[in-house]
Amino acid sequence: MLDLDIDRGILLVQQGEEDAREGLIKKYLPFILKVTARTCKRFVYLEDDDEVSIALMAFNEALTKYNVNQKTSFFSFAELVIRNRLIDYFRQMEQGTQDIPWSSLSREEDEQDSFTAPIDKLTWQKAVDQHYEQEIAEMRREEIREYSEKLKEFGIEFKDLVKESPKHQDARISAYQVAKLIFEKESYREYLLRTKTLPLKNLEHEVQVSRKTLERRRKYIIALVIIFWGEFYFLQDYLEGLEG
């Protein structure tokens, strides 16, 4: 199950495969905890915090409701669901009530006048869509800020990537394959983390790319490794086009 891509896994979940659901929840538990901690603005613990239980249920809800044909990535959708469910929980705690939260009301449950109901539904949907887009835009900005800070640890600026990104798709795919190899091999990851440079001596014997080319694309390759390494879910959408 863990070898399946996220969209394939979601389709299995929505077809009733409970093993797929359990596998995805386990695989992406670090993502769930990260979103929960970010929303709570503190460290959270799997067995001790009610917020984590709520986030797990929200992630489960996202698996069921996500449409794999939509352009927005699953992770942005799941993060929004988790954040909204946690915000509902915080409001309930503040109010000391167990009332059903506003965000969970079904738009199908409408006893209003038949004339005003369609207008209310359109207004509701417009507001939800606008809020959703704003949330996604902010998540993207935050992820870019985090990525930029991580790049700086390796002496890389965004302007470097614009300058050094390969112009041709086959060259980008080749760099992707080198970056994936570095990420998957522990000794290479440790070398990169320790020296902030590529293990060129080893790589030139293992990949079909010249040392000169590896040196020229050093910053671009390292930038790809960082995306693999970190929890940059929006940026990982970019990697999907480089798999070859």
Side-chain angles (χ1 to χ4, degrees), residues 209-238:
V209 181
S210 69
R211 184 181 182 119
K212 184 177 180 180
T213 300
L214 289 171
E215 290 174 342
R216 187 170 67 249
R217 295 176 185 159
R218 177 183 66 84
K219 291 182 179 180
Y220 181 75
I221 292 171
I222 292 175
L224 294 180
V225 176
I226 292 172
I227 295 177
F228 279 122
W229 211 331
E231 295 175 348
F232 301 114
Y233 297 99
F234 291 103
L235 291 171
Q236 284 173 9
D237 289 343
Y238 168 75

Side-chain angles (χ1 to χ4, degrees), residues 70-71 88 102 106 132 141 145 152 177 200 225:
Q70 67 185 41
K71 293 182 179 180
D88 288 337
W102 181 70
S106 170
Y132 180 79
R141 286 192 292 269
R145 286 194 293 268
K152 289 178 182 177
Q177 292 170 343
L200 293 171
V225 176

Side-chain angles (χ1 to χ4, degrees), residues 174-231:
S174 176
Y176 167 90
Q177 292 170 343
V178 174
K180 189 173 183 181
L181 172 64
I182 295 171
F183 171 71
E184 292 177 345
K185 201 160 188 175
E186 185 177 0
S187 61
Y188 289 174
R189 292 201 311 270
E190 291 177 351
Y191 182 93
L192 176 59
L193 185 61
R194 185 176 69 256
T195 67
K196 302 298 187 288
T197 59
L198 299 178
L200 293 171
K201 185 176 180 180
N202 298 93
L203 284 174
E204 64 180 338
H205 299 297
E206 197 167 349
V207 300
Q208 296 181 335
V209 181
S210 69
R211 184 181 182 119
K212 184 177 180 180
T213 300
L214 289 171
E215 290 174 342
R216 187 170 67 249
R217 295 176 185 159
R218 177 183 66 84
K219 291 182 179 180
Y220 181 75
I221 292 171
I222 292 175
L224 294 180
V225 176
I226 292 172
I227 295 177
F228 279 122
W229 211 331
E231 295 175 348

Side-chain angles (χ1 to χ4, degrees), residues 83-97:
R83 289 179 63 180
N84 283 345
R85 296 297 170 262
L86 286 170
I87 290 170
D88 288 337
Y89 171 75
F90 299 151
R91 287 172 177 165
Q92 289 180 33
M93 293 300 100
E94 289 175 0
Q95 298 169 1
T97 177

Side-chain angles (χ1 to χ4, degrees), residues 67-132:
N67 181 354
V68 296
N69 294 317
Q70 67 185 41
K71 293 182 179 180
T72 304
S73 75
F74 168 74
F75 295 107
S76 61
F77 175 76
E79 181 159 357
L80 185 61
V81 175
I82 292 171
R83 289 179 63 180
N84 283 345
R85 296 297 170 262
L86 286 170
I87 290 170
D88 288 337
Y89 171 75
F90 299 151
R91 287 172 177 165
Q92 289 180 33
M93 293 300 100
E94 289 175 0
Q95 298 169 1
T97 177
Q98 296 300 316
D99 291 344
I100 298 174
W102 181 70
S103 65
S104 66
L105 292 176
S106 170
R107 282 171 289 156
E108 296 177 359
E109 296 176 0
D110 193 347
E111 298 178 356
Q112 299 183 61
D113 181 85
S114 59
F115 175 77
T116 61
I119 299 176
D120 290 341
K121 288 182 178 180
L122 289 173
T123 302
W124 164 274
Q125 189 59 53
K126 183 177 180 180
V128 168
D129 290 344
Q130 183 178 11
H131 175 69
Y132 180 79

